[in-house]
Amino acid sequence: MSERVSNRVFDSVNMILLAIFVLLCLAPFFHIIAISFSSNRAVTSGEVTLFPVEFSLQAYQSVFSDSSMIRSLGFTIMLTLLTTVLCMVMTMIAAYPLTKKKLKGRKVFMFIIIVTMFFSGGIIPEYILVKDLNLLNTIWALVLPGLISPFYLIILISFFNGIPESLEEAAEIDGTSQIGTMLRIILPLSLPVIATLSLFYAVGRWNGFQDTLLYITKEELYPLQLKLYQLVQNNMITDLTRNEGPAAGVRATTESLKAASVVFATVPILVVYPWLQRYFVSGVMLGAVKG
């Protein structure tokens, strides 16, 4: 009886601590949402905490009426989908051969891949390479440099190693080629880890802005995160007030408008999580444990 009571107490304490941790993680996001639905006067006076004050939709009206934000949203969605598909294709193409022990130079390739996790050429050599390849101000400058993540590649290799070799041997006996084996047997069995890594790639691309800051100067190729970066970093209120008068500055950028822009850029990627949640834990754990 005492052991059962102690287990219940332990579980209750864990649940309370986890609930507090979740609330601490969600509090900043709720605060941003509250700011986005509050009037600028209430925000600047510091009255807004976790709930809107003087409820207003003016910030969201300004966001949705801004054609550049809508264009950036569409471009970011296209960029994220393209990057995720290409990254997963290249990662799978690289991971499958590296699971074959008879592959010559396999250990050398793995060593090279692991080295790239700790060392890189740096920003300047990478910029020079992208420039020499004539990729500046193109969508490929945002896709090709990060086409394969060594860490995700190792996770996928570990998962593939956990698939019984007997399945591949049976396929070979039936006359299936290596490509056919990968497409018909390996990939269907790897849906959890593929979905998980696709989510990782998608979130990384959606939140990325540094490469755009370096390689892109055309405004039509600005993703949402770079728009937010410019909105937050540049004091647009002061600039517009100086150039066009107080009314223009207040209308163009306020604290509530910044918060609404953050929510506008965050919600689309959050919508993806429920669809992939059932694969998330199993994909990570299987890829980490097997092999």
Side-chain angles (χ1 to χ4, degrees), residues 3 38 41 45 47 56 68 79 87 99 123 143-145 156 196 218 237 244 254:
E3 183 178 354
S38 300
R41 187 209 63 80
S45 61
E47 300 177 15
S56 173
S68 65
L79 175 63
C87 285
T99 61
I123 294 178
V143 176
L144 296 181
L156 193 58
T196 301
K218 292 182 179 179
I237 296 180
E244 301 181 28
T254 62

Side-chain angles (χ1 to χ4, degrees), residues 126-182:
E126 186 174 341
Y127 177 85
I128 294 175
L129 176 61
V130 172
K131 180 181 179 181
D132 290 343
L133 293 175
N134 296 320
L135 296 178
L136 294 179
N137 284 320
T138 66
I139 191 174
W140 301 112
L142 308 178
V143 176
L144 296 181
L147 206 54
I148 296 181
S149 167
F151 179 68
Y152 300 159
L153 177 62
I154 292 175
I155 291 178
L156 193 58
I157 291 173
S158 177
F159 187 93
F160 285 169
N161 283 330
I163 297 177
E165 295 183 2
S166 57
L167 295 177
E168 298 183 46
E169 293 173 356
E172 291 179 3
I173 294 175
D174 291 339
T176 307
S177 63
Q178 289 288 345
I179 296 177
T181 301
M182 185 179 72

Side-chain angles (χ1 to χ4, degrees), residues 200-215:
F200 288 165
Y201 274 123
V203 172
R205 180 61 270 171
W206 186 274
N207 292 332
F209 75 94
Q210 184 176 3
D211 51 354
T212 312
L213 193 63
L214 294 174
Y215 307 139

